[in-house]
Amino acid sequence: DTAVSQTPKYLVTQMGNDKSIKCEQNLGHDTMYWYKQDSKKFLKIMFSYNNKELIINETVPNRFSPKSPDKAHLNLHINSLELGDSAVYFCASSLSPKNIQYFGAGTRLSVL
Amino acid sequence: DAKTTQPTSMDCAEGRAANLPCNHSTISGNEYVYWYRQIHSQGPQYIIHGLKNNETNEMASLIITEDRKSSTLILPHATLRDTAVYYCIVRLFSGAGSYQLTFGKGTKLSVIP
């Protein structure tokens, strides 16, 4: 059983489209995250939700909107996709207070 | 979070111990040292963490100097599957400052047959 699962694994789309990436964890964790890894391989936090409440919101364009319907899910919706959004997006989860993060396999987004 | 400095890359012969250093001279008293790794095209994987005592688990050992300004991750018997980028991260253990992992460039470890 995959602990943190993301769908889709690959996403190819045109500029201007709207797309969503889904994340689910079956670890019973209370905190979930979205990270972006760009072409230079830098990993940066985008958002974090603890018990469905937003606790980290880094400088990310408001075209990116996370949604946490429950503690086991954190989805990422992206409006009006741009070329610069091409990257690998990783979802992660952790359990307070230790907050050791477990990552999904990533979603490779390519905007053409 | 305190800044860390790691070598860009290292090689290690298969079966030998891999010793990965990390400098964190500005670490504060309540910050922990965490190590994660990222194998090519996969999500980062937690390895180990510690405050000031040396730690060991099934994956690795963590040696933290007495002044806590540097640490070394030790993979006792490196295998080809240990080839990855290793990240040393300093942050709080719990509370508001514990949620964010700030990844640097890490050390690319290549295990050579």
Side-chain angles (χ1 to χ4, degrees), chain A residues 21-70:
Chain A
I21 307 172
K22 295 185 176 181
C23 180
E24 176 182 4
Q25 54 93 5
N26 62 6
L27 297 167
H29 288 172
D30 58 5
T31 307
M32 296 186 71
Y33 313 78
W34 277 109
Y35 287 83
K36 178 181 179 180
Q37 188 166 40
D38 60 23
S39 56
K40 295 183 179 177
K41 304 296 184 183
F42 286 113
L43 261 164
K44 289 192 68 174
I45 183 82
M46 298 175 70
F47 301 101
S48 176
Y49 273 72
N50 175 250
N51 287 316
K52 296 170 53 183
E53 282 191 37
L54 182 67
I55 53 170
I56 293 176
N57 184 0
E58 289 296 302
T59 306
V60 175
N62 57 15
R63 298 181 294 104
F64 290 79
S65 53
K67 286 188 171 46
S68 182
D70 55 57

Side-chain angles (χ1 to χ4, degrees), chain B residues 25-37:
Chain B
S25 57
T26 59
I27 191 170
S28 64
N30 55 355
E31 288 181 315
Y32 283 65
V33 180
Y34 287 78
W35 284 83
Y36 282 75
R37 73 179 181 183

